[in-house]
Amino acid sequence: MTAISSADPIPTGGPLDDAQAQLAAAVAHLKCPPGLHEMLAMPRRELQVAVPLRRDDGTTAVYSGYRVQHNLSRGPAKGGLRYSTAVDLDEVRALAMWMSWKCALVDVPYGGAKGGIAIEPRDHSDGELERVTRRYTSEILPIIGPDMDIPAPDIGTDERTMAWIMDTYSTTKGYTVPGVVTGKPISLGGSLGRATATSRGVAHVALMALSSTGMEASKASAAVQGFGKVGRDAARLLNEAGVSVKAVSDVDGAVFAPDGLDISRLSAHVDREGTVSGFDGAEPLAPADLLTLDVDVLVPAAIEGVLTEHNAHDVQASIVVEGANGPTTQAADEILTTRGVTIVPDILANAGGVIVSYFEWVQSNQAYQWREAEVRDRLEERMTRGWRDVADYAGAHSLTYREAATALSVSRVLEAHKLRGLYP
Ligand code: GLU
């Protein structure tokens, strides 16, 4: 890889450009020297692997896999593993960088990483997914471990995937190593409260954002894009807090109820049908229209790059809470900010997942399980502290929440780097 000039981020388009632009704004604010900017702009380690899969029909298919460790100054690398045909090296680089900032922002002792395989999980049997996961794990084995790099679920992966990674890793070591992954099944050392942690954090900051703008939850409305690992429980928890959730969507469609959706009936429908589409308690909605609905809070909780220069002018919500990583492009961010929309940035809004991943890792390493109430209390405490840190920094320096969150995170990573010094 060639050196990156601080004035000239890698021009790839997509999430990496957004991540580099956010970093550039933070280092400009912090008056960070160009050499340190270059260091933060480049991932520390990247591993690209070919992952051969023996298909159920006996043929062989080969998929590209990646693991990128962006920064290791604050501790072992940490971040999810994504299965999606949209996965490529630049996407994984961006997601790894965001993990570095996220971990620093909520003060968990990790650097940032991300992995992915360019595969559509819905096109594969459980057996194929297990084989591809085990082979990918064996390919990245030299750079993962409980003290090196700890994968977790992300789009297209789940607790089963983590169990296979843990088993493959442990088998090669000859003993069980629960701390090599987080987001494991509870019976294998997973943490109580991990499955809903990201959603809980999203709902928590959404409610804090509402109260900071003087809006009562019971008078507020929301739309949630994505009804999976993050959006589903975020919609439920917002609803339980009194917010009227008027629309939700998933990859197959969107549904809208002007007086608010019955989230528990909708969830039962999704359990039966596998999609929100066809829910009889709502009207169908064009998925793109969800983003511009007349609601107070918009929660994009699906994939990156959904709020763009093409739809940002039409967003009616006054608060955007980024449940997904990187849902707002740089251009959309500027438009929304100019229009006075409050954006709670991804590295804060969806940090609940990695916070409870950290708790799970601590529990795994100590072979001791915490009570769910303890997990929830500690999660809430860290989300509240993260929110206050960002709001205070934004206020003190006249920055947006995203600028403040990135600057604060980058300053913490730089502080760790400076204290450790440069070897040799
Ligand atoms: N994939 C999640 C994220 O993007 C969780 C990462 C983790 O727990 O390590 O934050």
Side-chain angles (χ1 to χ4, degrees), residues 164-248:
W164 294 327
I165 295 176
M166 181 189 126
D167 184 70
T168 307
Y169 183 87
S170 299
T171 304
T172 67
K173 294 285 166 194
Y175 51 89
T176 300
V177 188
V180 66
V181 286
T182 59
K184 301 178 284 293
I186 306 281
S187 53
L188 293 179
S191 178
L192 297 169
R194 174 63 184 85
T196 56
T198 312
S199 316
R200 215 166 265 288
V202 166
H204 196 61
V205 287
L207 295 173
M208 286 191 284
L210 275 171
S211 87
S212 77
T213 54
M215 260 189 271
E216 271 177 55
S218 59
K219 300 205 175 99
S221 58
V224 180
Q225 184 192 43
F227 206 65
K229 276 197 269 296
V230 181
R232 182 172 176 151
D233 282 304
R236 175 178 63 81
L237 291 161
L238 282 171
N239 198 228
E240 283 172 13
V243 176
S244 167
V245 179
K246 294 190 172 185
V248 301

Side-chain angles (χ1 to χ4, degrees), residues 51-90:
V51 190
L53 167 68
R54 186 170 24 83
R55 306 270 331 237
D56 293 339
D57 64 7
T59 60
T60 301
V62 184
Y63 301 93
S64 293
Y66 310 90
R67 187 75 189 170
V68 172
Q69 298 172 352
H70 170 258
N71 189 278
L72 307 173
S73 293
R74 299 184 76 260
K78 185 84 189 82
L81 170 64
R82 178 173 291 197
Y83 289 179
S84 155
T85 49
V87 163
D88 62 22
L89 183 55
D90 279 349

